């Protein structure tokens, strides 16, 4: 159960970490494009950078809508304008640049937020991994201790059975020896009694002869 939970946690962490990393890469790209001067900024490059951000799951719809609105603003081509129209178009270009700076600030703020959350995610993952490793180590230790106790009990049982077998063997040998000794004693007693009876019979016979 613990392993299943940990596997799911790791999968979720990997997916979320990838989301944050990809989002940060997209933000870095867009910020780099926006920071270019308007006359060196490629509109297609900017559109592509914003599209990368719009694809990110973690970026809010508010940010995506703001980027869309920014792209819909008309960016004047200042270099292609006659000098007598430059002063007329300057306020619009200035407004665009002001809006551009606001978008950069928004993306920088979002980048800081994502970097903080990514760091917290990695920290939480480290804690979860350490906790899981600790649990698994405890389980491993418990299993090893249990196996050790089982082994000790088996060895003790084997030693007990061996001692019992030896004791039973000693008892059988002792009993046999006792029985043999008793038999020898009985035979000796019988022989002595027989000799005594024979001696008494001979004495009696001799007395009668006298």
């Amino acid at each position: 159960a613990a392993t299943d939970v940990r596997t799911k946690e790791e999968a979720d962490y990997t997916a979320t970490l990838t989301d944050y990393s990809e989002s940060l890469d997209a933000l870095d790209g867009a910020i780099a494009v926006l920071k270019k001067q308007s006359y060196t900024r490629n509109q297609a490059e900017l559109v592509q950078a914003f599209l990368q951000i719009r694809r990110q799951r973690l970026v809010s719809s508010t940010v995506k809508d703001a980027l869309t609105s920014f792209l819909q603003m008309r960016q004047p081509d200042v270099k292609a304008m006659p000098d007598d129209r430059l002063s007329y178009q300057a306020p619009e270009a200035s407004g665009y640049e002001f809006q551009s700076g606001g978008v950069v600030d928004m993306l920088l703020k979002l980048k800081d937020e994502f970097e903080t959350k990514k760091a917290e995610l990695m920290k939480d993952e480290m804690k979860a991994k350490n906790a899981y490793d600790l649990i698994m180590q405890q389980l491993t230790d418990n299993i090893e201790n249990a196996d050790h106790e089982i082994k000790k009990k088996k060895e003790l049982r084997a030693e007990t059975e061996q001692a019992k077998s030896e004791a039973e063997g000693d008892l059988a040998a002792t009993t046999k020896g006792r029985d043999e000794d008793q038999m020898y004693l009985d035979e000796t007693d019988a022989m002595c009694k027989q000799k005594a009876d024979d001696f008494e019979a001979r004495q009696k016979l001799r007395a009668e002869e006298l």
Side-chain angles (χ1 to χ4, degrees):
T3 300
D4 292 339
V5 171
R6 180 61 193 144
T7 300
K8 185 178 183 305
E9 287 179 349
E10 282 185 323
D12 292 343
Y13 164 74
T14 300
T16 306
L17 183 66
T18 300
D19 286 342
Y20 276 122
S21 297
E22 292 178 351
S23 296
L24 286 168
D25 288 343
L27 288 170
D28 284 337
I31 290 170
V33 174
L34 282 167
K35 284 185 175 181
K36 292 180 181 179
Q37 296 296 328
S38 61
Y39 56 81
T40 61
R41 183 185 302 144
N42 185 300
Q43 186 72 5
E45 184 182 12
L46 182 62
V47 170
Q48 184 61 33
F50 281 9
L51 285 176
Q52 290 295 327
I53 294 179
R54 287 186 62 82
R55 293 191 183 103
Q56 303 308 313
R57 182 177 62 85
L58 298 178
V59 177
S60 68
S61 58
T62 302
V63 173
K64 293 176 181 178
D65 291 343
L67 297 180
T68 300
S69 298
F70 178 75
L71 284 176
Q72 290 172 349
M73 293 181 63
R74 178 178 177 272
Q75 182 177 11
D77 188 352
V78 178
K79 293 180 67 176
M81 292 180 185
D83 292 341
D84 59 348
R85 295 185 58 194
L86 185 58
S87 60
Y88 178 78
Q89 293 291 344
E92 183 178 352
S94 177
Y96 180 87
E97 290 308 313
F98 177 78
Q99 184 71 13
S100 174
V103 173
V104 170
D105 290 341
M106 176 185 69
L107 296 183
L108 285 172
K109 182 179 179 181
L110 185 60
K111 178 184 175 182
D112 288 341
E113 178 185 339
F114 280 2
E115 286 177 339
T116 299
K117 289 183 176 179
K118 181 182 177 181
E120 291 175 350
L121 177 71
M122 295 174 70
K123 184 178 180 181
D124 291 341
E125 165 63 13
M126 184 61 68
K127 288 181 179 179
K129 183 179 183 303
N130 289 339
Y132 172 77
D133 290 343
L134 180 61
I135 290 174
M136 296 308 295
Q137 185 60 51
Q138 290 176 340
L139 289 174
T140 300
D141 291 343
N142 290 341
I143 292 173
E144 289 179 352
N145 290 336
D147 289 342
H148 180 66
E149 290 299 319
I150 291 173
K151 182 180 179 181
K152 283 178 59 179
K153 288 181 179 179
K154 286 183 177 179
E155 291 175 350
L156 180 60
R157 184 182 298 115
E159 291 174 357
T160 302
E161 290 177 352
Q162 178 65 25
K164 179 183 178 183
S165 176
E166 291 176 357
E168 289 175 346
D170 292 343
L171 177 61
T174 301
T175 301
K176 180 181 179 182
R178 182 204 62 188
D179 292 343
E180 290 176 350
D181 290 344
Q182 185 64 46
M183 182 182 297
Y184 175 76
L185 181 61
D186 292 342
E187 290 176 351
T188 301
D189 287 344
M191 184 176 63
C192 291
K193 185 174 184 302
Q194 182 63 42
K195 288 182 177 181
D197 290 345
D198 292 345
F199 177 76
E200 184 178 349
R202 285 197 301 271
Q203 288 293 103
K204 184 178 180 182
L205 180 59
R206 185 176 302 167
E208 290 177 352
E209 290 176 351
L210 293 176

